[in-house]
Amino acid sequence: MRKPVMSGNWKMYKTPAETTAFFEKFRPLVEKSEHCEIVICPPFTNLAAAVEAAKGTRISVGSQNVAWAKDGAFTGEISGPMLKAVGVAHAIVGHSERRQYFGETDETVLKRTQAALEFGLTPIVCVGERLEERESGATEAVLTKQFQKGIAGLTPEQFAKIVIAYEPVWAIGERGAPAQPEHVRVAHAAIRRALQERTTHPVPILYGGSVNVDNAAPLAMEREVDGLFVGRAAWTAPGLVDIVREVIATRRPLEHLAIDLNRGGIPEAADF
Ligand code: PEP
């Protein structure tokens, strides 16, 4: 079984000093974690501080966007080579807030995804339907369209290097309500079907939208959920660690039990 991918999206929050402070708390809690991949995505201005703070750990640092060009007259954009030079490994592409407020389209998502791949970053490609689309029963159609117009043209080799995040727009942020596992099951199955027409590679599909410590385990237990994409709940080190621990416990109950028994039944925070 693949390791779950646990990704934290900090959106437009935290300064470099706050980033360093986060990692000082976060590092000792996840240092020994071998059972999941952790990707923290701070704002651009904090990437260098995050990479520095994550050195020597298994924590990866991701950006929240990436330009579709290597360089050029693109004021306000940051390119793949620039991100690589700082030590960034992942890049979120097509987050619904970028689609909603900054004109991101399926076409630009494809261009950004291809650029990320070209410059050696792992794109975390976001898809998800709006509330009215869900209410009109169009979830699968929207996801399929976003897939077809966005990334269907990637080569099998490129598919082997991407991560997809299903992020229903209505589930994200303070006004969002988390999707129920049954909804996530259907949505992820639709994405998986679209993927299977293009690649045999088991592309990880993460769920994101109001994930918290209470709903993390039921969501992570869904067969096609390969990890979680966490916004608000990932902004404090203990908050994210609690969620990671919940997810790991759903994935490896027997190993977990063995560890607990070896230690006299008391699991330590760092050992998951
Ligand atoms: C997000 O912004 O990608 C997200 C999942 O946010 P939240 O968890 O706060 O809903």
Side-chain angles (χ1 to χ4, degrees):
M1 194 187 281
R2 247 197 85 95
K3 288 183 190 180
V5 181
M6 300 298 298
S7 181
N9 174 16
W10 286 2
K11 309 195 187 200
M12 197 174 72
Y13 289 97
K14 294 190 196 293
T15 61
E18 287 166 341
T19 300
T20 307
F22 171 94
F23 276 92
E24 269 165 21
K25 287 200 188 122
F26 190 59
R27 266 185 75 133
L29 294 173
V30 296
E31 218 142 51
K32 295 186 199 163
S33 169
E34 291 169 13
H35 301 283
C36 70
E37 289 177 32
I38 298 176
V39 186
I40 304 289
C41 302
F44 287 123
T45 46
N46 303 351
L47 289 172
V51 168
E52 182 59 33
K55 263 192 194 138
T57 73
R58 293 191 190 84
I59 307 164
S60 298
V61 175
S63 59
Q64 296 177 14
N65 200 358
V66 57
W68 58 67
K70 175 169 150 278
D71 49 26
F74 296 108
T75 302
E77 291 282 308
I78 307 283
S79 74
M82 292 170 184
L83 295 167
K84 281 299 279 188
V86 176
V88 168
H90 292 69
I92 301 172
V93 176
H95 189 277
S96 70
E97 286 154 11
R98 300 232 39 101
R99 292 180 188 252
Q100 221 173 333
Y101 307 124
F102 301 99
E104 201 75 69
T105 63
D106 294 330
E107 289 74 17
T108 57
V109 166
L110 174 60
K111 286 166 76 173
R112 292 184 194 279
T113 301
Q114 283 172 325
L117 290 165
E118 182 181 346
F119 299 116
L121 298 165
T122 301
I124 303 175
V125 184
C126 302
V127 293
E129 80 285 7
R130 295 196 301 270
L131 180 61
E132 60 275 23
E133 293 169 330
R134 185 197 78 185
E135 286 176 344
S136 67
T139 297
E140 289 188 49
V142 170
L143 296 176
T144 307
K145 187 202 123 240
Q146 289 176 341
F147 182 88
Q148 295 300 347
K149 290 183 93 178
I151 51 173
L154 298 182
T155 64
E157 294 71 37
Q158 289 176 319
F159 271 116
K161 294 180 186 152
I162 72 166
V163 173
I164 293 182
Y166 169 56
E167 294 233 301
V169 180
W170 48 268
I172 292 175
E174 266 159 29
R175 279 179 289 163
Q180 294 304 306
E182 305 74 52
H183 177 91
V184 174
R185 186 182 312 151
V186 173
H188 279 224
I191 298 168
R192 183 63 70 201
R193 275 196 300 278
L195 276 166
Q196 279 168 346
E197 287 176 17
R198 319 295 305 180
T199 177
T200 53
H201 186 80
V203 176
I205 309 174
L206 317 186
Y207 166 75
S210 296
V211 170
N212 58 43
V213 70
D214 298 319
N215 62 25
L219 287 164
M221 265 188 277
E222 286 299 328
R223 197 165 150 262
E224 294 293 356
V225 173
D226 302 304
L228 299 174
F229 193 89
V230 190
R232 287 156 294 160
W235 296 343
T236 69
L240 183 54
V241 167
D242 283 348
I243 291 175
V244 172
R245 190 184 302 134
E246 286 294 316
V247 172
I248 298 302
T250 67
R251 294 298 165 120
R252 45 186 284 278
L254 295 177
E255 284 173 67
H256 208 66
L257 187 65
I259 286 172
D260 292 359
L261 290 174
N262 288 343
R263 299 241 164 75
I266 303 167
E268 291 169 23
D271 295 336
F272 52 79

